[in-house]
Amino acid sequence: MPPALPGRLRRRTLLGLSGLMAILLIGLAGCGSSAGSGDSAAGSSDTLTVLAASSLTETFQRLATTFEEQHPGVQVEFSFDSSATLAQQAAEGAPADVLATADEQTMQSAVTAGVTTADPTRFAENEMVLVAPKDNPAGIAGIGDLPGTDYVVCVETAPCGKVAAALLADNGVSADPASREVDVKSVLAKVVADEADAGLVYRTDQVAAGEEVTGFDIPGAGSQRNGYFAAPLEQAGNATLAQDWIDLLASGAGRGVLRDAGFVVG
């Protein structure tokens, strides 16, 4: 049995009278059928499941609305987590159609494992920034002020952690963070809750947080941008829907949503 999907799962389900009747009919049919008649995965062909880096949460949820409008009857489900976790789950056969990661190296691990069915598509880039709580109680004005504060970053196995470590080193910050969080949304949550003096997150997270944080550019961040990649998975229930999602990311509508969220797109 394939492993359950990790992370935060989003699903919109609409059940009207016709849906209720369908369920009743299926149940009645099952009572008079052989055991083998229930082996098919009913509904799998009209559900698109995407494993996506947590920094894509708000953007992909917006794009899901567009996708479902373009594909009547199709529902989009997500599992958001760190790229490394999701790539491992994909390699282990987690039931999903598309993998979207926040860096090329993690996507390459899925390619090497042989679970992608097409060359990954690079659809966006993201830049790291420094954020403090809205009132900025520690009086931080930039990355050089982090020593002596309780700042947080991602674990170094996550793409956001690798970039954060490189930028801290480039800017001469040797003080250890107060904690290393599993993904960038966890870093942002600690800052917004005023449980940390500052955190290194993506610009898209700063945009999503709005007035809840105070943001600062990081010197050299422009040369340390993360590339975002998406690829269809071997275990996809519907290969056409998987490719349609990736095509949406590269479309004018997709690029517009990504750009509005703070991503750098072509």
Short mmCIF file of all heavy atoms in Angstrom, two decimals, residues 158-225:
data_model
loop_
_atom_site.label_atom_id
_atom_site.label_comp_id
_atom_site.label_asym_id
_atom_site.label_seq_id
_atom_site.Cartn_x
_atom_site.Cartn_y
_atom_site.Cartn_z
N ALA A 158 16.36 21.38 3.72
CA ALA A 158 15.35 22.04 2.89
C ALA A 158 16.03 23.10 2.03
O ALA A 158 17.04 23.71 2.44
CB ALA A 158 14.28 22.68 3.76
N PRO A 159 15.52 23.36 0.83
CA PRO A 159 16.12 24.39 -0.02
C PRO A 159 16.24 25.74 0.66
O PRO A 159 17.26 26.43 0.52
CB PRO A 159 15.14 24.45 -1.21
CG PRO A 159 14.56 23.08 -1.28
CD PRO A 159 14.43 22.63 0.15
N CYS A 160 15.22 26.14 1.44
CA CYS A 160 15.29 27.44 2.12
C CYS A 160 16.41 27.45 3.15
O CYS A 160 17.02 28.51 3.40
CB CYS A 160 13.96 27.75 2.79
SG CYS A 160 13.27 26.42 3.82
N GLY A 161 16.72 26.31 3.75
CA GLY A 161 17.81 26.25 4.71
C GLY A 161 19.17 26.34 4.06
O GLY A 161 20.10 26.97 4.61
N LYS A 162 19.32 25.73 2.89
CA LYS A 162 20.59 25.80 2.17
C LYS A 162 20.91 27.23 1.76
O LYS A 162 22.04 27.70 1.91
CB LYS A 162 20.53 24.90 0.93
CG LYS A 162 20.39 23.42 1.24
CD LYS A 162 20.19 22.62 -0.05
CE LYS A 162 19.88 21.16 0.25
NZ LYS A 162 19.55 20.39 -0.98
N VAL A 163 19.90 27.92 1.23
CA VAL A 163 20.12 29.31 0.80
C VAL A 163 20.39 30.20 2.00
O VAL A 163 21.27 31.07 1.97
CB VAL A 163 18.91 29.82 0.00
CG1 VAL A 163 19.09 31.30 -0.35
CG2 VAL A 163 18.73 29.01 -1.28
N ALA A 164 19.63 29.99 3.09
CA ALA A 164 19.84 30.80 4.28
C ALA A 164 21.26 30.64 4.81
O ALA A 164 21.92 31.63 5.17
CB ALA A 164 18.83 30.41 5.36
N ALA A 165 21.75 29.41 4.86
CA ALA A 165 23.11 29.16 5.36
C ALA A 165 24.14 29.87 4.49
O ALA A 165 25.10 30.47 5.01
CB ALA A 165 23.38 27.66 5.38
N ALA A 166 23.95 29.84 3.18
CA ALA A 166 24.90 30.49 2.27
C ALA A 166 24.87 32.01 2.46
O ALA A 166 25.94 32.66 2.49
CB ALA A 166 24.56 30.13 0.83
N LEU A 167 23.69 32.59 2.62
CA LEU A 167 23.59 34.05 2.77
C LEU A 167 24.13 34.52 4.11
O LEU A 167 24.76 35.57 4.21
CB LEU A 167 22.13 34.48 2.61
CG LEU A 167 21.58 34.40 1.18
CD1 LEU A 167 20.08 34.68 1.17
CD2 LEU A 167 22.31 35.37 0.26
N LEU A 168 23.90 33.73 5.15
CA LEU A 168 24.46 34.08 6.46
C LEU A 168 25.98 34.07 6.40
O LEU A 168 26.64 34.99 6.92
CB LEU A 168 23.96 33.10 7.53
CG LEU A 168 22.48 33.22 7.91
CD1 LEU A 168 22.04 32.01 8.73
CD2 LEU A 168 22.22 34.51 8.69
N ALA A 169 26.54 33.06 5.76
CA ALA A 169 28.00 32.98 5.63
C ALA A 169 28.55 34.13 4.80
O ALA A 169 29.55 34.76 5.15
CB ALA A 169 28.39 31.64 5.02
N ASP A 170 27.87 34.42 3.70
CA ASP A 170 28.33 35.50 2.81
C ASP A 170 28.30 36.85 3.50
O ASP A 170 29.07 37.75 3.16
CB ASP A 170 27.46 35.55 1.55
CG ASP A 170 27.70 34.37 0.62
OD1 ASP A 170 28.69 33.63 0.84
OD2 ASP A 170 26.89 34.19 -0.31
N ASN A 171 27.38 37.01 4.45
CA ASN A 171 27.24 38.29 5.15
C ASN A 171 27.92 38.30 6.52
O ASN A 171 27.69 39.21 7.32
CB ASN A 171 25.76 38.64 5.30
CG ASN A 171 25.14 39.12 3.99
OD1 ASN A 171 25.27 40.29 3.64
ND2 ASN A 171 24.49 38.23 3.27
N GLY A 172 28.77 37.29 6.78
CA GLY A 172 29.58 37.27 7.98
C GLY A 172 28.83 37.01 9.27
O GLY A 172 29.30 37.38 10.35
N VAL A 173 27.65 36.37 9.18
CA VAL A 173 26.87 36.06 10.38
C VAL A 173 27.20 34.63 10.82
O VAL A 173 26.82 33.67 10.15
CB VAL A 173 25.35 36.20 10.13
CG1 VAL A 173 24.58 35.83 11.39
CG2 VAL A 173 25.02 37.62 9.70
N SER A 174 27.90 34.51 11.93
CA SER A 174 28.30 33.19 12.41
C SER A 174 27.48 32.73 13.61
O SER A 174 27.58 31.58 14.03
CB SER A 174 29.79 33.18 12.78
OG SER A 174 30.06 34.16 13.78
N ALA A 175 26.66 33.62 14.16
CA ALA A 175 25.84 33.27 15.32
C ALA A 175 24.79 32.23 14.92
O ALA A 175 24.14 32.35 13.88
CB ALA A 175 25.14 34.51 15.87
N ASP A 176 24.64 31.20 15.74
CA ASP A 176 23.68 30.14 15.45
C ASP A 176 22.25 30.64 15.61
O ASP A 176 21.96 31.47 16.47
CB ASP A 176 23.89 28.95 16.39
CG ASP A 176 25.17 28.20 16.09
OD1 ASP A 176 25.63 28.26 14.93
OD2 ASP A 176 25.71 27.56 17.02
N PRO A 177 21.34 30.12 14.80
CA PRO A 177 19.93 30.48 14.96
C PRO A 177 19.35 29.88 16.23
O PRO A 177 19.88 28.90 16.76
CB PRO A 177 19.27 29.88 13.71
CG PRO A 177 20.16 28.74 13.33
CD PRO A 177 21.55 29.18 13.68
N ALA A 178 18.25 30.43 16.69
CA ALA A 178 17.58 29.89 17.88
C ALA A 178 16.95 28.54 17.58
O ALA A 178 16.86 27.69 18.46
CB ALA A 178 16.51 30.88 18.37
N SER A 179 16.51 28.35 16.33
CA SER A 179 15.95 27.07 15.94
C SER A 179 16.01 26.94 14.42
O SER A 179 16.12 27.93 13.69
CB SER A 179 14.50 26.91 16.41
OG SER A 179 13.64 27.80 15.71
N ARG A 180 15.95 25.68 13.98
CA ARG A 180 15.87 25.39 12.55
C ARG A 180 14.56 24.66 12.31
O ARG A 180 14.34 23.58 12.83
CB ARG A 180 17.07 24.54 12.10
CG ARG A 180 18.39 25.30 12.13
CD ARG A 180 19.55 24.45 11.64
NE ARG A 180 20.77 25.22 11.47
CZ ARG A 180 21.64 25.46 12.43
NH1 ARG A 180 21.43 24.98 13.64
NH2 ARG A 180 22.72 26.18 12.18
N GLU A 181 13.70 25.27 11.50
CA GLU A 181 12.35 24.76 11.30
C GLU A 181 12.27 23.86 10.06
O GLU A 181 13.09 23.97 9.15
CB GLU A 181 11.37 25.93 11.15
CG GLU A 181 11.38 26.90 12.33
CD GLU A 181 10.98 26.23 13.63
OE1 GLU A 181 10.01 25.45 13.63
OE2 GLU A 181 11.65 26.48 14.66
N VAL A 182 11.23 23.02 10.03
CA VAL A 182 11.12 22.00 8.98
C VAL A 182 10.90 22.61 7.61
O VAL A 182 11.32 22.05 6.59
CB VAL A 182 10.00 21.00 9.33
CG1 VAL A 182 8.63 21.68 9.33
CG2 VAL A 182 10.01 19.83 8.35
N ASP A 183 10.23 23.76 7.53
CA ASP A 183 10.01 24.41 6.24
C ASP A 183 9.84 25.91 6.45
O ASP A 183 9.80 26.41 7.57
CB ASP A 183 8.82 23.80 5.49
CG ASP A 183 7.50 23.90 6.25
OD1 ASP A 183 7.32 24.85 7.04
OD2 ASP A 183 6.64 23.03 6.06
N VAL A 184 9.73 26.63 5.33
CA VAL A 184 9.74 28.09 5.41
C VAL A 184 8.46 28.63 6.04
O VAL A 184 8.49 29.70 6.69
CB VAL A 184 9.97 28.68 4.00
CG1 VAL A 184 8.74 28.52 3.11
CG2 VAL A 184 10.41 30.14 4.06
N LYS A 185 7.34 27.94 5.90
CA LYS A 185 6.11 28.40 6.52
C LYS A 185 6.20 28.32 8.04
O LYS A 185 5.61 29.14 8.75
CB LYS A 185 4.92 27.58 6.01
CG LYS A 185 4.55 27.87 4.56
CD LYS A 185 4.18 29.31 4.34
CE LYS A 185 3.79 29.60 2.91
NZ LYS A 185 3.59 31.03 2.65
N SER A 186 6.95 27.35 8.54
CA SER A 186 7.14 27.24 9.98
C SER A 186 8.02 28.39 10.50
O SER A 186 7.79 28.91 11.60
CB SER A 186 7.78 25.89 10.33
OG SER A 186 6.96 24.83 9.92
N VAL A 187 9.00 28.79 9.70
CA VAL A 187 9.82 29.96 10.06
C VAL A 187 8.95 31.20 10.11
O VAL A 187 8.98 31.97 11.08
CB VAL A 187 10.96 30.15 9.03
CG1 VAL A 187 11.70 31.47 9.30
CG2 VAL A 187 11.93 28.98 9.08
N LEU A 188 8.16 31.41 9.09
CA LEU A 188 7.29 32.59 9.03
C LEU A 188 6.31 32.60 10.20
O LEU A 188 6.06 33.65 10.80
CB LEU A 188 6.54 32.61 7.70
CG LEU A 188 5.61 33.81 7.47
CD1 LEU A 188 6.43 35.09 7.37
CD2 LEU A 188 4.77 33.62 6.22
N ALA A 189 5.75 31.44 10.53
CA ALA A 189 4.76 31.36 11.61
C ALA A 189 5.37 31.81 12.94
O ALA A 189 4.71 32.49 13.73
CB ALA A 189 4.22 29.94 11.72
N LYS A 190 6.62 31.44 13.19
CA LYS A 190 7.27 31.83 14.44
C LYS A 190 7.47 33.34 14.51
O LYS A 190 7.32 33.96 15.56
CB LYS A 190 8.61 31.11 14.59
CG LYS A 190 8.49 29.69 15.09
CD LYS A 190 9.71 29.27 15.89
CE LYS A 190 9.42 28.05 16.74
NZ LYS A 190 10.51 27.70 17.65
N VAL A 191 7.81 33.93 13.36
CA VAL A 191 8.02 35.38 13.33
C VAL A 191 6.69 36.11 13.51
O VAL A 191 6.58 37.06 14.30
CB VAL A 191 8.70 35.80 12.02
CG1 VAL A 191 8.80 37.33 11.93
CG2 VAL A 191 10.09 35.18 11.91
N VAL A 192 5.67 35.69 12.80
CA VAL A 192 4.36 36.33 12.89
C VAL A 192 3.81 36.23 14.31
O VAL A 192 3.20 37.17 14.83
CB VAL A 192 3.38 35.70 11.88
CG1 VAL A 192 1.96 36.19 12.14
CG2 VAL A 192 3.80 36.04 10.45
N ALA A 193 4.04 35.10 14.97
CA ALA A 193 3.55 34.90 16.34
C ALA A 193 4.43 35.59 17.38
O ALA A 193 4.17 35.47 18.58
CB ALA A 193 3.47 33.41 16.65
N ASP A 194 5.46 36.30 16.93
CA ASP A 194 6.38 37.01 17.83
C ASP A 194 7.12 36.04 18.73
O ASP A 194 7.49 36.37 19.86
CB ASP A 194 5.62 38.03 18.67
CG ASP A 194 6.50 39.23 19.06
OD1 ASP A 194 7.65 39.30 18.57
OD2 ASP A 194 6.05 40.07 19.85
N GLU A 195 7.37 34.81 18.22
CA GLU A 195 8.13 33.81 18.95
C GLU A 195 9.59 33.82 18.52
O GLU A 195 10.39 33.01 19.01
CB GLU A 195 7.53 32.43 18.72
CG GLU A 195 6.12 32.28 19.28
CD GLU A 195 5.49 30.95 18.95
OE1 GLU A 195 6.15 30.14 18.25
OE2 GLU A 195 4.36 30.70 19.39
N ALA A 196 9.94 34.70 17.59
CA ALA A 196 11.32 34.86 17.14
C ALA A 196 11.53 36.32 16.78
O ALA A 196 10.59 37.02 16.38
CB ALA A 196 11.60 33.97 15.92
N ASP A 197 12.77 36.78 16.94
CA ASP A 197 13.09 38.17 16.62
C ASP A 197 13.13 38.41 15.12
O ASP A 197 12.88 39.52 14.65
CB ASP A 197 14.44 38.57 17.22
CG ASP A 197 14.40 38.58 18.74
OD1 ASP A 197 13.35 38.95 19.32
OD2 ASP A 197 15.42 38.21 19.36
N ALA A 198 13.46 37.35 14.36
CA ALA A 198 13.56 37.50 12.91
C ALA A 198 13.64 36.12 12.29
O ALA A 198 13.86 35.11 12.98
CB ALA A 198 14.80 38.31 12.53
N GLY A 199 13.48 36.06 10.99
CA GLY A 199 13.60 34.80 10.28
C GLY A 199 13.94 35.04 8.82
O GLY A 199 13.63 36.10 8.26
N LEU A 200 14.62 34.07 8.22
CA LEU A 200 14.93 34.14 6.80
C LEU A 200 13.87 33.34 6.04
O LEU A 200 13.74 32.13 6.25
CB LEU A 200 16.33 33.60 6.51
CG LEU A 200 17.48 34.61 6.68
CD1 LEU A 200 17.70 34.91 8.17
CD2 LEU A 200 18.77 34.09 6.06
N VAL A 201 13.13 34.02 5.19
CA VAL A 201 12.05 33.40 4.43
C VAL A 201 12.16 33.87 2.98
O VAL A 201 13.00 34.69 2.63
CB VAL A 201 10.66 33.77 5.00
CG1 VAL A 201 10.53 33.31 6.44
CG2 VAL A 201 10.40 35.27 4.89
N TYR A 202 11.28 33.36 2.13
CA TYR A 202 11.25 33.81 0.74
C TYR A 202 10.46 35.11 0.62
O TYR A 202 9.60 35.41 1.45
CB TYR A 202 10.63 32.74 -0.15
CG TYR A 202 11.45 31.49 -0.29
CD1 TYR A 202 10.93 30.25 0.11
CD2 TYR A 202 12.73 31.52 -0.81
CE1 TYR A 202 11.67 29.09 -0.02
CE2 TYR A 202 13.49 30.36 -0.94
CZ TYR A 202 12.94 29.15 -0.55
OH TYR A 202 13.69 28.01 -0.67
N ARG A 203 10.74 35.84 -0.45
CA ARG A 203 9.99 37.07 -0.68
C ARG A 203 8.50 36.79 -0.80
O ARG A 203 7.66 37.60 -0.38
CB ARG A 203 10.50 37.79 -1.94
CG ARG A 203 9.90 39.17 -2.11
CD ARG A 203 10.55 39.95 -3.23
NE ARG A 203 11.97 40.15 -3.04
CZ ARG A 203 12.51 41.07 -2.24
NH1 ARG A 203 11.71 41.85 -1.52
NH2 ARG A 203 13.81 41.20 -2.16
N THR A 204 8.14 35.65 -1.37
CA THR A 204 6.73 35.30 -1.49
C THR A 204 6.07 35.17 -0.12
O THR A 204 4.89 35.48 0.03
CB THR A 204 6.56 33.99 -2.27
OG1 THR A 204 7.38 32.98 -1.68
CG2 THR A 204 6.97 34.17 -3.72
N ASP A 205 6.81 34.71 0.87
CA ASP A 205 6.26 34.59 2.22
C ASP A 205 6.06 35.97 2.84
O ASP A 205 5.08 36.21 3.55
CB ASP A 205 7.19 33.75 3.09
CG ASP A 205 7.36 32.34 2.55
OD1 ASP A 205 6.35 31.63 2.46
OD2 ASP A 205 8.49 31.98 2.19
N GLN A 206 6.98 36.88 2.55
CA GLN A 206 6.83 38.26 3.02
C GLN A 206 5.58 38.88 2.39
O GLN A 206 4.78 39.53 3.08
CB GLN A 206 8.06 39.09 2.65
CG GLN A 206 7.94 40.56 3.07
CD GLN A 206 9.04 41.44 2.48
OE1 GLN A 206 9.95 40.95 1.82
NE2 GLN A 206 8.95 42.73 2.71
N VAL A 207 5.38 38.65 1.09
CA VAL A 207 4.20 39.19 0.41
C VAL A 207 2.93 38.60 1.01
O VAL A 207 1.95 39.31 1.27
CB VAL A 207 4.28 38.88 -1.10
CG1 VAL A 207 2.97 39.25 -1.79
CG2 VAL A 207 5.44 39.64 -1.75
N ALA A 208 2.94 37.29 1.26
CA ALA A 208 1.76 36.63 1.81
C ALA A 208 1.44 37.13 3.22
O ALA A 208 0.27 37.26 3.59
CB ALA A 208 1.98 35.11 1.84
N ALA A 209 2.47 37.43 4.01
CA ALA A 209 2.26 37.89 5.39
C ALA A 209 1.79 39.33 5.44
O ALA A 209 1.15 39.75 6.42
CB ALA A 209 3.54 37.72 6.19
N GLY A 210 2.10 40.11 4.42
CA GLY A 210 1.66 41.50 4.36
C GLY A 210 2.16 42.32 5.54
O GLY A 210 3.34 42.31 5.88
N GLU A 211 1.23 43.02 6.20
CA GLU A 211 1.60 43.94 7.28
C GLU A 211 1.92 43.22 8.59
O GLU A 211 2.27 43.87 9.57
CB GLU A 211 0.46 44.94 7.51
CG GLU A 211 0.23 45.87 6.32
CD GLU A 211 -0.87 46.88 6.58
OE1 GLU A 211 -1.51 46.78 7.67
OE2 GLU A 211 -1.09 47.75 5.73
N GLU A 212 1.83 41.90 8.58
CA GLU A 212 2.15 41.16 9.81
C GLU A 212 3.65 41.09 10.07
O GLU A 212 4.07 40.70 11.16
CB GLU A 212 1.59 39.75 9.74
CG GLU A 212 0.07 39.69 9.75
CD GLU A 212 -0.43 38.26 9.78
OE1 GLU A 212 -0.39 37.60 8.73
OE2 GLU A 212 -0.86 37.82 10.86
N VAL A 213 4.46 41.44 9.06
CA VAL A 213 5.91 41.40 9.24
C VAL A 213 6.54 42.68 8.68
O VAL A 213 5.93 43.40 7.89
CB VAL A 213 6.55 40.18 8.52
CG1 VAL A 213 6.02 38.88 9.12
CG2 VAL A 213 6.29 40.24 7.02
N THR A 214 7.77 42.92 9.13
CA THR A 214 8.60 43.98 8.57
C THR A 214 9.73 43.29 7.81
O THR A 214 10.40 42.42 8.36
CB THR A 214 9.19 44.87 9.68
OG1 THR A 214 8.11 45.46 10.42
CG2 THR A 214 10.08 45.95 9.10
N GLY A 215 9.92 43.66 6.55
CA GLY A 215 10.88 42.95 5.71
C GLY A 215 12.12 43.76 5.37
O GLY A 215 12.08 45.00 5.32
N PHE A 216 13.23 43.04 5.14
CA PHE A 216 14.50 43.67 4.79
C PHE A 216 15.16 42.85 3.69
O PHE A 216 15.19 41.61 3.76
CB PHE A 216 15.44 43.73 5.99
CG PHE A 216 14.84 44.37 7.21
CD1 PHE A 216 14.20 43.58 8.17
CD2 PHE A 216 14.88 45.74 7.40
CE1 PHE A 216 13.64 44.15 9.30
CE2 PHE A 216 14.31 46.33 8.53
CZ PHE A 216 13.68 45.52 9.47
N ASP A 217 15.70 43.51 2.68
CA ASP A 217 16.46 42.81 1.65
C ASP A 217 17.77 42.30 2.24
O ASP A 217 18.32 42.89 3.19
CB ASP A 217 16.76 43.74 0.48
CG ASP A 217 15.52 44.06 -0.36
OD1 ASP A 217 14.52 43.31 -0.24
OD2 ASP A 217 15.54 45.04 -1.12
N ILE A 218 18.27 41.22 1.68
CA ILE A 218 19.54 40.64 2.12
C ILE A 218 20.58 40.83 1.02
O ILE A 218 20.34 40.43 -0.13
CB ILE A 218 19.38 39.13 2.41
CG1 ILE A 218 18.33 38.91 3.50
CG2 ILE A 218 20.71 38.51 2.81
CD1 ILE A 218 18.03 37.44 3.77
N PRO A 219 21.71 41.45 1.32
CA PRO A 219 22.76 41.62 0.30
C PRO A 219 23.16 40.27 -0.30
O PRO A 219 23.40 39.30 0.41
CB PRO A 219 23.92 42.23 1.09
CG PRO A 219 23.26 42.96 2.23
CD PRO A 219 22.09 42.10 2.60
N GLY A 220 23.20 40.21 -1.62
CA GLY A 220 23.60 38.99 -2.31
C GLY A 220 22.48 38.01 -2.58
O GLY A 220 22.69 36.99 -3.25
N ALA A 221 21.27 38.30 -2.10
CA ALA A 221 20.17 37.35 -2.27
C ALA A 221 19.79 37.17 -3.73
O ALA A 221 19.33 36.10 -4.13
CB ALA A 221 18.95 37.81 -1.46
N GLY A 222 19.98 38.21 -4.52
CA GLY A 222 19.63 38.12 -5.94
C GLY A 222 20.43 37.09 -6.70
O GLY A 222 19.97 36.55 -7.71
N SER A 223 21.63 36.80 -6.22
CA SER A 223 22.47 35.79 -6.88
C SER A 223 22.30 34.40 -6.27
O SER A 223 22.97 33.46 -6.68
CB SER A 223 23.95 36.21 -6.80
OG SER A 223 24.38 36.29 -5.45
N GLN A 224 21.42 34.29 -5.27
CA GLN A 224 21.19 33.00 -4.59
C GLN A 224 19.72 32.58 -4.73
O GLN A 224 19.17 31.90 -3.86
CB GLN A 224 21.54 33.13 -3.10
CG GLN A 224 22.99 33.41 -2.82
CD GLN A 224 23.82 32.14 -2.76
OE1 GLN A 224 23.34 31.06 -3.03
NE2 GLN A 224 25.09 32.28 -2.42
N ARG A 225 19.11 32.98 -5.83
CA ARG A 225 17.70 32.64 -6.01
C ARG A 225 17.49 31.14 -6.19
O ARG A 225 18.31 30.48 -6.81
CB ARG A 225 17.13 33.37 -7.24
CG ARG A 225 16.91 34.85 -7.04
CD ARG A 225 16.46 35.49 -8.33
NE ARG A 225 16.25 36.92 -8.19
CZ ARG A 225 16.16 37.75 -9.21
NH1 ARG A 225 16.28 37.30 -10.46
NH2 ARG A 225 15.96 39.04 -9.00
#
